Every structure is written in structure tokens, then in C-alpha cells.
Amino acid sequence: NAGVTQTPKFQVLKTGQSMTLQCAQDMNHEYMSWYRQDPGMGLRLIHYSVGAGITDQGEVPNGYNVSRSTTEDFPLRLLSAAPSQTSVYFCASVPGGAEGEQFFGPGTRLTVL
Amino acid sequence: KQEVTQIPAALSVPEGENLVLNCSFTDSAIYNLQWFRQDPGKGLTSLLLIQSSQREQTSGRLNASLDKSSGRSTLYIAASQPGDSATYLCAVLASGSRLTFGEGTQLTVNP
């Protein structure tokens, strides 16, 4: 198994541009989530999904969209990038519900100029 | 709102020392608590998961305890090694399928 994969590893955007961060897992996990990690603020939950077709907002959802059309993929869309979205983004998946062990991807480091 | 605090923020110890990392949380109504390790520029690796009904979990030189009533968890690392140098994060899962993280303890083990 490849586990949780994220692409790209690095990305630089200009303010106002849009892009999609990709996340995929091959472990057939139902629960997937997106976090951002910022110095002094720890990891914060952006959006999560308990299964295909079901998504919900986390702690900091503004400026981000998600969809879950398949069990394997959970892309995160930045609609109009802002410098405040400069961060490291992590995707995670959990077997079964959210109560299990979290498996994290390697992260995407995003800079918005 | 659940808040998770980790003390100390940074810790430097000589190789071989036993050490304790602390994690506290404000809302004791949790489903589980998880300890992670993060190496610089990398993702998080799960170390130990303690369900709310459990008091401790062990894996090799690592032992994590959970006291829900007092809102505390400790991660004990025995006989520390330079390879243990990393940032250690704790996270609690409460209602709404939301995991709340602490800011981590940056550990340096000196040869």
C-alpha cells in the first residue's frame, strides 16, 4: 500500500489564483480529513469526510472547498488564494470512523504571494 | 471548545535519559487521545492511541497514560536515543469527529 499520498509537495501561488491540493489513499478508509499547520497554532481541521458523498466543515473552513466522490480521493480546493492561506497542508485518513488511528500524508507546503 | 496544551514546548536531554512529555485538555468528554511524532519537513506518524476507556498504552520504549477525569496524558520515553529527536504532538478526539491538536513538544536528544 502507498498509504496516504499528497500532491504537489510544494506550490507557490499568486493572490487570487485557485488550485486543488490532491489527496489519495489506497487503504479503503472511510474517514478523511484536511488540516493546516501553522507556527504557533498547531494543526487545525479544515474539512472532513466520513465517507463518499459526505463532507463537513472543521475549525477553519473559510476559503476552502472539498468534495468526496470516491472513497480513495479527497481533494481540497482553494477558491481564491490569499496570503493568509500560506501554510503546510496535511491530509489524513482513518479506518472506519474518526475514532481510529490517524494516518497522515507527507504534506503540501503552499506559499501565497 | 476543546483546548489542548503541551508542556514543555521544547526539551533537550542527554542520550539515555528517561523523560516525560505532558499533554492536558480542557474537555474530558473525549473518545480517544493519540500521540504523534513529526520529523522536520515530514508528516505525522502515529505512536500510540489510547481509547477513553483505557488508562495506558505501550509500544517498545514508549508508554502513554490517560487520566480523563483530570484532563491529562503523559508520554514516557525510556532510555532516550538521538533518533528520538522530533516534535511530539498529542491530539484528542471529541464529539463531531474533530481531532484537536496541541502545539507539540520539540525534543532534542544529545549524543
Side-chain angles (χ1 to χ4, degrees):
Chain A
N1 288 345
V4 181
T5 58
Q6 292 184 240
T7 56
K9 289 187 177 181
F10 302 94
Q11 183 70 49
V12 179
L13 293 177
K14 295 181 180 179
T15 297
Q17 287 184 315
S18 62
M19 79 159 295
T20 299
L21 307 185
Q22 301 291 344
C23 174
Q25 51 90 11
D26 60 358
M27 299 174 283
N28 202 33
H29 289 173
E30 291 295 323
Y31 183 93
M32 297 184 73
S33 55
W34 277 101
Y35 296 87
R36 58 178 290 174
Q37 185 175 34
D38 302 290
M41 304 195 74
L43 279 91
R44 293 178 291 168
L45 181 65
I46 305 172
H47 284 286
Y48 65 97
S49 169
V50 298
I54 306 169
T55 63
D56 205 346
Q57 296 181 347
E59 183 182 357
V60 287
N62 293 341
Y64 307 95
N65 271 359
V66 291
S67 61
R68 185 92 179 273
S69 57
T70 67
T71 299
E72 295 77 19
D73 300 298
F74 190 42
L76 178 72
R77 298 182 187 85
L78 279 70
L79 308 174
S80 178
S84 62
Q85 294 178 304
T86 294
S87 187
V88 182
Y89 291 85
F90 290 100
C91 177
S93 72
V94 185
E99 298 80 20
E101 180 182 358
Q102 300 260 342
F103 291 80
F104 277 79
T108 294
R109 186 174 296 274
L110 176 67
T111 301
V112 183
L113 304 175
Chain B
K1 177 185 174 184
Q2 180 75 265
E3 293 183 359
V4 179
T5 303
Q6 292 188 245
I7 295 173
L11 182 63
S12 182
V13 300
E15 181 176 3
E17 189 162 302
N18 302 325
L19 57 99
V20 174
L21 307 181
N22 297 292
C23 172
S24 62
F25 47 95
T26 54
D27 185 350
S28 61
I30 65 170
Y31 292 110
N32 62 44
L33 183 145
Q34 198 163 353
W35 283 93
F36 295 89
R37 169 185 174 137
Q38 186 176 28
D39 293 289
K42 304 291 186 181
L44 280 69
T45 300
S46 177
L47 297 173
L48 290 164
L49 171 67
I50 310 176
Q51 301 294 349
S52 61
S53 58
Q54 298 175 318
R55 295 299 300 263
E56 66 176 345
Q57 282 284 352
T58 298
S59 176
R61 295 182 293 108
L62 304 179
N63 176 275
S65 68
L66 174 62
D67 184 341
K68 261 184 52 174
S69 60
S70 67
R72 294 181 181 183
S73 176
T74 60
L75 178 66
Y76 175 83
I77 302 177
S80 59
Q81 303 171 357
D84 294 331
S85 298
T87 296
Y88 291 81
L89 299 152
C90 75
V92 296
L93 181 69
S95 61
S97 302
R98 300 185 178 194
L99 201 62
T100 302
F101 282 83
E103 290 189 36
T105 294
Q106 186 173 355
L107 172 66
T108 302
V109 181
N110 302 299

